[in-house]
Amino acid sequence: MRQVYLDYSATTPVKNEVVEAMLPYFTEVYGNPSSLYTAGLAAGNGLDKAREQVATLINAKPSEIFFTSCGTEADNWVLEGVADKLRKKGNHIITSKIEHHAILHTCEYLEEHGFEVTYLDVDNEGFVNPADLERAITNKTVLVSIMMVNNEIGTVQPIRELAQIASKHGILFHTDAVQGLGNMPIDVEKLGVDFLSMSGHKIYGPKGVGALYIRQGRRINVFMHGGAQEKKHRAGTENVAGIVGFGKAAELAAANLDRHIEHCRELRNYFWEQLKLNIPDISLNGPEDLESGKRHPGNLNVSFDYIEAESILLMLDMKYGISVSTGSACSSKSLEPSHVLTAAGVSIVKSNGTVRFTVGDFTTKEDIDYVVDAMKTITSKLRELSPVAGMKGWE
């Protein structure tokens, strides 16, 4: 059976160049980077190079990059670290209703420990209104955390404008850039953010490695206690091979960024046009302007009326070898409607019929044609079985 992967926002395949860069660190350069002898220094050099590669991708200083196990750890570190550090100054945090659960669940944890959290509304395309952020700030606000690119509907937030509002009030600003990294230009100096979370496996690197950008001069409490790794900020022996792979993936992303964006956007736009031409009663969730740069270049989040998305996903996988998602990978086993779609005003019925498609570097036009043909057959068959198909006012 042919295999077509259209879930690049969940994870990406590791590129051959990345694997090649990692291999020596399993078998040859296996020293502990904290050791002072030659084998340890060689491993440490690998970390230093990777730190430079990741820093270059976001125009940061290498000294501002701290490696973690994943983007979720980076998010937790910022929220808990800042909250603990600034508890005496204030106990108020601002975020949005469509954040990744790494943010939302950490905020819930902080609420259980005496913090107040404001969850900003979004409009029907998923955008935070900067005026809403301005109004939400109080004299107790210590941190604002707004994700750069939404993982479900692809909305690219006005991070620079939001960060400027926070800075004007002397408040720290964090952005979860896991979905943005490698999919759009990121310049932390221009954005003015204080903290930025990243993950290796979203940019054709390995799983199990991420990073946190901490602007020089910003203070944050240690998240993991133990040894002196990561300049005494994050204890634990580093995942050297994974970090080296992340660094190589970052280097490739920087070199191929324009080509990657153009490739994904062209295929994504073609995909949407073909879906509209061939399948009736569908709607796009998230930003409708596919050329403005306000949407992740590879993201399509589509609602198919009268049918359940789970049925679509299973048929695509079992009968056609096509991998897609009904939401974010982290919540795909949940029976609850998407919190992102709900916040954007999408009804529960439409939400339950929503599929997320994301294309990437290895997607081809032939893949898209194959998927569209499969979707035509599947949606037609499922609608024949649906008791509400064709009913007016079905919602």
Side-chain angles (χ1 to χ4, degrees):
M1 183 190 301
R2 179 173 180 171
Q3 299 293 315
V4 175
Y5 185 74
L6 290 185
D7 202 15
Y8 281 80
S9 283
T11 195
T12 56
V14 180
K15 289 187 173 179
N16 290 335
E17 300 96 321
V18 173
V19 174
E20 291 171 4
M22 294 172 64
L23 285 177
Y25 290 85
F26 291 110
T27 58
E28 300 170 26
V29 192
Y30 50 79
N32 188 317
S34 295
S35 299
L36 296 179
Y37 44 74
T38 302
L41 294 175
N45 289 338
L47 296 185
D48 292 341
K49 182 178 180 180
R51 210 178 303 277
E52 292 175 2
Q53 291 165 320
V54 172
T56 297
L57 182 56
I58 63 171
N59 191 32
K61 302 179 184 69
S63 61
E64 297 173 315
I65 303 299
F66 297 85
F67 290 113
T68 64
S69 65
C70 57
T72 292
E73 183 190 323
D75 286 344
N76 275 254
W77 183 4
V78 171
L79 267 65
E80 294 184 43
V82 170
D84 192 39
K85 184 76 173 179
L86 300 181
R87 184 181 292 270
K88 292 182 179 179
K89 178 182 178 182
N91 68 337
H92 181 228
I93 293 170
I94 300 172
T95 188
S96 83
K97 291 182 177 179
I98 65 169
E99 298 296 307
H100 190 277
H101 283 118
I103 296 293
L104 296 179
H105 288 169
T106 308
C107 284
E108 291 171 9
Y109 167 82
L110 291 171
E111 285 180 294
E112 294 171 358
H113 290 78
F115 280 80
E116 297 179 1
V117 181
T118 296
Y119 299 90
L120 298 177
D121 289 323
V122 296
D123 64 19
N124 62 2
E125 292 190 330
F127 290 104
V128 170
N129 185 339
D132 289 345
L133 172 59
E134 185 88 52
R135 285 190 290 268
I137 291 173
T138 74
N139 61 359
K140 296 293 185 181
T141 307
V142 293
L143 178 68
V144 176
S145 180
I146 305 293
M147 71 193 317
M148 183 172 290
V149 180
N150 185 264
N151 51 304
E152 292 192 35
I153 58 176
T155 307
V156 179
Q157 298 291 352
I159 294 300
R160 183 179 182 183
E161 184 177 0
L162 297 171
Q164 286 175 338
I165 292 170
S167 178
K168 180 177 67 175
H169 293 274
I171 297 166
L172 296 172
F173 189 94
H174 164 251
T175 187
D176 178 335
V178 165
Q179 293 291 337
L181 191 72
N183 289 303
M184 57 184 288
I186 297 178
D187 185 329
V188 292
E189 290 302 319
K190 291 181 179 178
L191 290 175
V193 300
D194 299 294
F195 309 100
L196 183 144
S197 300
M198 297 167 274
S199 181
H201 76 104
K202 306 292 189 179
I203 62 167
Y204 307 91
K207 299 172 183 65
V209 59
L212 177 63
Y213 158 79
I214 303 177
R215 180 175 291 277
Q216 185 173 319
R218 301 298 183 262
R219 297 289 180 262
I220 182 173
N221 278 5
V222 173
F223 186 61
M224 290 180 64
H225 299 275
Q229 292 88 355
E230 295 302 292
K231 291 165 283 186
K232 299 182 179 181
H233 280 65
R234 195 268 188 189
T237 301
E238 295 92 344
N239 172 12
V240 179
I243 290 170
V244 167
F246 186 11
K248 184 62 177 181
E251 179 183 86
L252 294 173
N256 300 318
L257 185 60
D258 291 342
R259 184 163 59 251
H260 165 78
I261 293 172
E262 182 180 4
H263 171 78
C264 291
R265 185 173 290 158
E266 284 184 0
L267 283 180
R268 188 270 315 274
N269 293 357
Y270 173 74
F271 192 9
W272 178 231
E273 290 303 318
Q274 293 304 305
L275 287 175
K276 288 190 296 181
L277 283 172
N278 288 279
I279 303 174
D281 299 316
I282 65 174
S283 53
L284 182 67
N285 301 307
E288 293 186 3
D289 186 349
L290 300 185
E291 299 294 342
S292 65
K294 294 182 178 180
R295 187 182 188 115
H296 182 297
N299 173 285
L300 278 182
N301 186 289
V302 183
S303 292
F304 297 86
D305 292 351
Y306 321 123
I307 46 184
E308 292 285 334
E310 294 289 345
S311 299
I312 297 174
L313 183 151
L314 291 173
M315 291 183 73
L316 284 173
D317 183 31
M318 300 294 289
K319 296 181 70 68
Y320 297 93
I322 299 168
S323 300
V324 299
S325 173
T326 56
S328 69
C330 301
S331 60
S332 60
K333 295 180 181 178
S334 171
L335 297 178
E336 295 296 318
S338 162
H339 70 284
V340 174
L341 295 178
T342 299
V346 178
S347 70
I348 293 177
V349 176
K350 274 191 175 290
S351 180
N352 287 339
T354 297
V355 177
R356 181 188 70 179
F357 306 92
T358 42
V359 304
D361 281 355
F362 300 110
T363 310
T364 66
K365 186 173 179 290
E366 290 71 27
D367 290 335
I368 300 303
D369 291 335
Y370 177 71
V371 174
V372 171
D373 285 342
M375 287 298 299
K376 285 170 59 179
T377 301
I378 289 172
T379 54
S380 177
K381 183 172 296 186
L382 290 175
R383 282 171 176 169
E384 287 177 4
L385 301 173
S386 172
V388 298
M391 292 173 58
K392 299 296 183 183
W394 66 294
E395 289 189 86

